[in-house]
Amino acid sequence: MHEPTQAYVLGHSETELRRLAMQAAFWGELTEEVLRRAGIGAGMHVLDLGSGAGDVAILAARLVGSSGSVLGIDRSEDAVKRASQRAAAEGLSWCRFSVADVEAFDTGQRFDAVVGRLVLMYVRDPAQTLRALVRHLKPDGIVAFQEIVLNSVHSVPPLPLVGRVARWVVTAFERAGAQADMGLKLDATFRAAGLQPPECYAAARPVAGADSAAYAVFTAVVRALLPAIEKFGIATAAEVDIDTLAQRLRDETVAANACWLSPVLVGAWARIGA
């Protein structure tokens, strides 16, 4: 029997669903690149795990087209409702969503691919989860996941506020039980699950100048984490000063003529044997 999935420290509120949509716009191209490299294409039937607001499932749906299908699962009814509304609004009738826990999921349907973004970091035993999910794949099916390396934020020249915010975020995730460096564990996880050694691809978004979306994206993450940041004694609300944080991140970056990397995302994919 699977251990229960770790608590999702960011929650499932309407604010969090909007944050996920903002995050998806920021990282969408990096995720689409992984899906394309993994071989997701026209006519395929795809299972998306931990769909949240539906962004990865919708990306996959555009790649497979109306001759294929995508099923996204998430344990939050609110998330499934939002994702279903978004897919319907975009005319993606072949993209549907269902309430289910990643580790308890079972179906008689067989898929050409199982995918997920930022989901294994919350699973107690990612390799065991992958082993269980493989049984839902057709012969020669694809396993493709994209996970984060939260402690990879780096700036030139060093930016004190950016560094401090990055430490708040990493510490909050770690103390909540999430694997903040799951991106660097994907290769070992695939192997431990009995899969072929995966192909991997890593990418990050550089942040510079006054117009980057990163300031708002990072502030939204901190806002969602603020209860945990305070609960774990990482920083006080006054220290975070959430309502001015985005502007302070922007001002610090612009004043120093600096460039920094958002956390690295690592994608890994492999095919199962026929």
Side-chain angles (χ1 to χ4, degrees), residues 91-116:
L92 302 173
S93 59
W94 57 95
C95 183
R96 62 188 181 89
F97 298 87
S98 180
V99 177
D101 187 273
V102 168
E103 293 171 286
F105 179 72
D106 194 18
T107 179
Q109 185 177 353
R110 292 295 178 265
F111 301 90
D112 298 298
V114 56
V115 305

Side-chain angles (χ1 to χ4, degrees), residues 228-245:
I229 289 172
E230 292 186 275
K231 173 185 175 182
F232 295 126
I234 298 165
T236 66
E239 289 174 305
V240 174
D241 192 8
I242 194 66
D243 291 333
T244 68
L245 183 57

Side-chain angles (χ1 to χ4, degrees), residues 63-87:
L63 292 176
V64 304
S66 59
S67 60
S69 69
V70 177
L71 172 62
I73 63 169
D74 196 281
R75 58 181 174 172
S76 165
E77 292 185 10
D78 290 340
V80 166
K81 181 179 179 180
R82 165 64 73 86
S84 299
Q85 291 171 341
R86 292 182 63 204

Side-chain angles (χ1 to χ4, degrees), residues 180-248:
D181 57 354
M182 188 63 217
L184 295 178
K185 297 177 179 177
L186 280 175
D187 181 88
T189 298
F190 272 56
R191 294 169 187 261
L195 299 170
Q196 295 294 318
E199 295 186 58
C200 295
Y201 172 83
R205 291 284 302 271
V207 182
D211 298 327
S212 175
Y215 311 120
V217 170
F218 272 71
T219 297
V221 172
V222 175
R223 187 183 297 276
L225 286 171
L226 191 52
I229 289 172
E230 292 186 275
K231 173 185 175 182
F232 295 126
I234 298 165
T236 66
E239 289 174 305
V240 174
D241 192 8
I242 194 66
D243 291 333
T244 68
L245 183 57
Q247 187 61 52
R248 286 184 290 130

